């Protein structure tokens, strides 16, 4: 029976898209489920019905009701389960071996999912209750989940219905060794390489074979630890925090008293982090890029330049909390060095942004240098040959070619600065800034700072709030990282010197 | 008869210095000055860090003798006891513990990525490692508090805040750093060495074990040192996971206070601005700075001293 499913289907791109979409359908179906998992004592309204959550295990609260308007929980349950099952069946069909069968069968379950999801979205929209904000937010969230499911299943329908391009069966590939042999060693390996690929399983002494296999397995296991850790981290944080993340959470200001847990949000911290990011971008980026240009294009190996290089490398290795001490001493507090005296800015956004700028400066400089170094010499020399001056060469020929690399590095540096907590503890001051800051010289809180302050409280509610705030922070940072990684991969493929 | 070439012939047009070219020169020189200025911001920042730390530590050491600070085993700033050894020991416990977990894992991952992984597997693992490296330390701190700590309490009867907790999350944090640096070192080993060994009949693992890893050893050691330096400077995860009570003894299931965590804790408290407790912030900061600086320099030294030349 299992023979009907190929172990390694010859995936074409639309099918991979379809499989991804099927996973999204599951996620979309789970979003309302995760929402229901909050242990509420009060009933809340889903699609016009009161639903007691927590002990009433309603996996997928699709709005199905009796004729008299009471919720039909069993039917709603089965509707939700049906969607999940259909998504799984659709995904399984994608693994069928016969391409024609696949292309004809797979769209059916996905189209059904799309229809059901859209029907329920319409149902919920019709019944949106005018009640307390948080309930409204939950309904909006459920709606998003269903939209997601509907959109993903439409994409899956499209992807699954594509006919496959037949790909030739993988012929016996020469061992990887043969591909990596360098020109110098090639003559010696002409006869050895094919032999090496066969040695492995046939003529090796059993002990060597065992060692080879054990080593490979051990390495694979340790390599997958990183993936496991990543999934564990994000999964557990999502489980703890996701129930709290809704529109109310984003729109309310922080609270630290137990009575106000339900009304606690991250609004002012979000604004604070936003201000910090903008200011760091405005201050560190120009200075960092100019410094990188100097170090890579202009700096001759003089003693001064070697000193500069040393300080930059050293600055990159300084622990972040030490930058906080620096910021505290020279930006926040009044400074008196004998020859310089400043009044000190106090615990304001500008002081925080200056500190974070100094912190991300070496990262940006090093990224810029690396990007510039990757631009081949020939481009510079061609431009010099046409009579361009040094600055003309740099700005018109070297810099444009290095921009993807600089952008990647800068995004990563900014992501790091936004998530940085330790220096802000020293220069952030106002632990609980309850209000949205009005300008760069106002007191502030930032997302990581608020998270820390919540996490320090011992009650479980606040830890969950902290997890929720971390989740929002992570969403931003992971998005920035992904953009940077994609940007780099895109240009790496495109640029061939 | 050809007229002799005049000595006083004017230079050709392209070599003539017009007002325009001298303006361009000025502009070029101005640009270079601006760029140099931007580059020296980093140097100024480094100098500022050193000056700030030294100046304020000087104030501290006028009130607390250097000997007491470096050899004392009682750290309680509120009672005027400033023996820094418990903080140093706490930092060492946490970082060495994290190294014991992260080092083998990180090096194995690097070996797998550089020697064995299929490009498609690499295409998944590399971005995952980069994402892991990009996750802010506060997220690891929260993870320690809500996930790791309850596990340790249940299995080992550990304290809510304990050193093991910090060791575990810290090892997650330095794993991607060690991996990426060690992988760079392994990839820098020339293909000829691998090809030669394979041609002699070695298996892939034997090539890795006996040729590639020894050749990249200096880079791998530097990776370990840099990971160690990062672990020493890590603040938030440790402050949340390990608690804030200094320990003079080695119990991994009790709370410890590290140098960084002390700085974070003290900075939030309302310390009078001129007492020794306030200045202790800078003294511990100086110690931290010197330590990480020394480890970084050691990494560079190892890289230079044990580099294999091809």
């Amino acid at each position: 029976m299992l023979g009907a499913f190929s172990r390694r289907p010859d995936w074409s791109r639309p099918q991979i898209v379809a499989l991804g979409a099927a996973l999204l359908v599951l996620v979309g179906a789970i979003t309302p489920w995760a929402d229901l998992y909050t242990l509420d004592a009060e009933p809340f309204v889903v699609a016009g019905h009161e639903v007691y959550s927590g002990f009433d295990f309603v996996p997928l609260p699709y709005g199905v009701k009796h004729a008299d308007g009471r919720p039909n929980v069993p039917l709603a349950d089965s509707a939700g389960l049906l969607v999940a099952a259909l998504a799984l069946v659709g995904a399984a069909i994608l693994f069928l071996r016969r391409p024609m069968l696949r292309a004809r069968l797979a769209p059916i379950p996905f189209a059904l999912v799309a229809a059901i999801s859209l029907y329920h979205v319409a149902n919920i929209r019709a019944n949106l209750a005018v009640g307390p904000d948080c309930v409204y937010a939950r309904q909006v969230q459920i709606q998003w989940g269903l939209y997601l499911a509907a959109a993903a299943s439409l994409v899956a329908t499209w992807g699954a219905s594509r006919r496959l391009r037949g790909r030739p069966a993988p012929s016996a590939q020469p061992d990887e060794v043969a591909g990596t042999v360098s020109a110098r060693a090639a003559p010696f390996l002409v006869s050895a390489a094919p032999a090496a690929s066969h040695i492995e399983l046939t003529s090796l002494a059993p002990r060597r074979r065992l060692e080879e296999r054990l080593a490979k397995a051990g390495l694979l296991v340790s390599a997958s630890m990183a993936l496991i850790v990543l999934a564990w981290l994000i999964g557990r944080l999502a489980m703890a925090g996701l129930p709290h993340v809704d529109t109310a959470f984003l729109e309310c200001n922080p609270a630290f008293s137990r009575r106000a847990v339900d009304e606690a949000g991250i609004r002012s911290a979000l604004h604070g982090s936003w201000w910090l990011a903008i200011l760091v971008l405005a201050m560190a980026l120009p200075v960092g890029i100019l410094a990188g240009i100097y170090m890579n294009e202009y700096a001759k190996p003089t003693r001064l330049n070697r000193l500069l290089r040393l300080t930059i490398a050293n600055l990159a290795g300084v622990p972040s909390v030490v930058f906080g001490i620096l910021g505290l001493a020279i930006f926040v507090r009044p400074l008196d060095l004998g020859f310089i005296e400043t009044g000190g800015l106090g615990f304001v956004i500008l002081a925080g942004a200056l500190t974070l700028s100094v912190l991300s400066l070496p990262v940006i400089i090093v990224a810029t240098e690396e990007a510039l170094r990757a631009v081949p010499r020939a481009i510079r020399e061609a431009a010099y040959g046409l009579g361009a001056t040094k600055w003309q060469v740099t700005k018109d020929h070297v810099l444009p070619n290095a921009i993807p690399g600089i952008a990647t590095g800068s995004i990563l540096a900014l992501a790091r600065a936004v998530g940085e907590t330790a220096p802000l503890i020293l220069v952030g001051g106002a632990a609980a800034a309850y209000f949205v800051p009005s300008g760069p010289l106002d007191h502030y809180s930032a997302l990581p700072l608020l998270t820390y302050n919540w996490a320090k409280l011992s009650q479980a509610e606040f830890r969950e709030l902290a997890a929720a705030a971390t989740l929002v922070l992570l969403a931003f940072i992971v998005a920035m990282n992904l953009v940077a990684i994609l940007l780099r991969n895109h240009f790496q493929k495109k640029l061939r010197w | 008869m050809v007229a002799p070439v005049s000595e006083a012939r004017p230079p050709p047009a392209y070599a003539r210095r017009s007002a325009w070219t001298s303006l361009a020169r000025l502009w070029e020189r101005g640009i270079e000055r601006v760029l140099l200025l931007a580059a020296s911001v980093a140097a100024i920042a480094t100098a500022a860090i050193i000056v700030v730390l030294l100046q304020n530590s000087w104030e501290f050491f006028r009130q607390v003798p250097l000997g007491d600070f470096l050899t004392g085993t009682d750290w309680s700033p509120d009672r005027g006891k400033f023996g820094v050894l418990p903080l140093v020991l706490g930092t060492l416990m946490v970082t060495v513990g994290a190294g014991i977990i992260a080092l083998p894992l990180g090096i194995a991952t690097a070996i797998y990525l550089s020697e064995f992984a299929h490009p498609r597997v690499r295409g998944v693992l590399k971005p995952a490692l980069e994402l892991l490296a990009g996750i802010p330390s506060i997220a690891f701190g929260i993870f320690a508090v809500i996930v790791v700590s309850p596990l340790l309490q249940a299995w080992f009867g550990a304290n809510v805040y304990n050193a093991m907790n910090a060791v575990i999350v810290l090892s997650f944090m330095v794993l991607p750093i060690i991996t990426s640096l060690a992988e760079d070192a392994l990839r820098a080993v020339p293909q000829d060495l691998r090809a030669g060994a394979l041609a002699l009949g070695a298996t892939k693992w034997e090539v890795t074990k006996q040729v590639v890893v020894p050749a990249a050893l200096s880079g791998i050691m530097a990776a370990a040192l840099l990971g160690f330096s990062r672990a020493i400077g890590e603040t938030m995860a440790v402050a949340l996971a390990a608690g804030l009570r200094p320990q003079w003894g080695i119990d991994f299931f009790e709370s410890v206070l590290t140098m960084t965590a002390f700085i974070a804790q003290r900075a939030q408290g309302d310390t009078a601005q001129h007492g020794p407790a306030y200045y202790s912030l800078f003294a511990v900061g100086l110690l931290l700075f010197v330590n990480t600086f020394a480890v970084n320099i050691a990494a560079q030294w190892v890289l230079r001293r044990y580099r294999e030349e091809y």
Side-chain angles (χ1 to χ4, degrees), chain A residues 177 182 184 189 208 211-212 215 220 222 233 294 298 314 325 333 389 391 421 425 456 463 485 488, chain B residues 28 35-36 105 109 112 130 143 145 161 192 198-199 201 203 205-206 209 236 268 273 278 282 293:
Chain A
V177 180
S182 70
R184 245 187 296 165
L189 280 171
R208 282 177 76 196
E211 190 183 326
E212 182 83 9
L220 181 61
S222 7
L233 181 85
Y294 180 81
Y298 282 81
N314 177 41
I325 296 182
R333 298 262 153 104
T389 63
W391 176 239
T421 320
I425 287 184
K456 275 195 315 182
R463 293 199 170 151
I485 291 173
R488 193 195 51 205
Chain B
E28 286 286 317
L35 294 179
L36 176 60
L105 269 184
T109 308
Y112 184 77
E130 279 165 21
F143 181 69
V145 170
Y161 300 105
D192 298 13
L198 280 169
T203 62
W205 168 242
E206 286 164 349
K209 187 177 59 170
M236 296 323 300
Q268 272 210 324
Q273 230 202 85
Y278 172 73
F282 295 92
F293 186 69

Side-chain angles (χ1 to χ4, degrees), chain A residues 311-404:
Chain A
T311 52
I312 291 170
N314 177 41
L315 201 61
V318 172
S320 61
V321 72
V322 174
F323 285 100
I325 296 182
L326 173 77
L328 179 69
I330 68 174
F331 298 134
V332 174
R333 298 262 153 104
L335 178 71
D336 180 13
L337 281 183
F339 55 100
I340 312 173
E341 272 183 60
T342 63
L345 292 165
F347 295 104
V348 298
I349 294 184
L350 188 61
L354 279 166
T355 309
L356 289 184
S357 299
V358 177
L359 176 115
S360 45
L361 199 57
V363 188
I364 297 177
I365 294 178
V366 171
T368 306
E369 271 189 88
E370 247 168 48
L372 291 172
R373 209 173 300 134
V375 178
R377 250 190 111 66
I379 285 187
R380 295 187 180 83
E381 273 159 15
Y384 281 128
L386 292 173
T389 63
K390 190 157 201 162
W391 176 239
Q392 284 169 339
V393 172
T394 308
K395 104 178 130 73
D396 294 336
H397 301 281
V398 180
L399 210 50
N401 281 311
I403 277 187

Side-chain angles (χ1 to χ4, degrees), chain B residues 199-290:
Chain B
L200 292 172
T203 62
K204 232 174 175 183
W205 168 242
E206 286 164 349
V207 173
T208 307
K209 187 177 59 170
Q210 287 159 20
V211 177
V212 181
V213 171
L217 204 59
S218 73
I220 293 176
M221 274 157 68
L225 282 173
L226 289 176
F228 184 58
S229 137
R230 187 61 70 84
I232 293 178
E234 178 44 50
T235 312
M236 296 323 300
V238 176
L240 277 175
L244 298 166
R245 199 154 1 101
Q247 185 196 144
W248 179 238
I250 300 182
D251 184 348
F252 276 93
F253 296 112
E254 279 299 319
S255 166
V256 296
L257 184 64
T258 63
M259 294 191 277
T260 49
F262 164 72
I263 294 174
Q265 171 207 28
R266 183 47 58 172
Q268 272 210 324
D270 297 323
T271 312
Q273 230 202 85
H274 291 287
Y278 172 73
Y279 287 116
S280 71
L281 202 71
F282 295 92
V284 174
L286 181 65
L287 193 62
L288 186 66
F289 179 80
V290 169

Side-chain angles (χ1 to χ4, degrees), chain B residues 38-80:
Chain B
S40 49
V41 170
I44 295 169
T46 310
I49 288 177
I50 295 173
V51 168
V52 161
L53 289 178
L54 283 179
Q55 194 194 26
N56 290 291
S57 300
W58 180 253
E59 289 293 322
F60 176 74
F61 290 125
R62 279 214 311 217
Q63 299 171 24
V64 178
L66 182 62
D68 291 2
F69 178 70
L70 287 181
T71 57
T73 57
D74 184 7
W75 182 264
S76 31
D78 296 326
R79 289 191 290 118

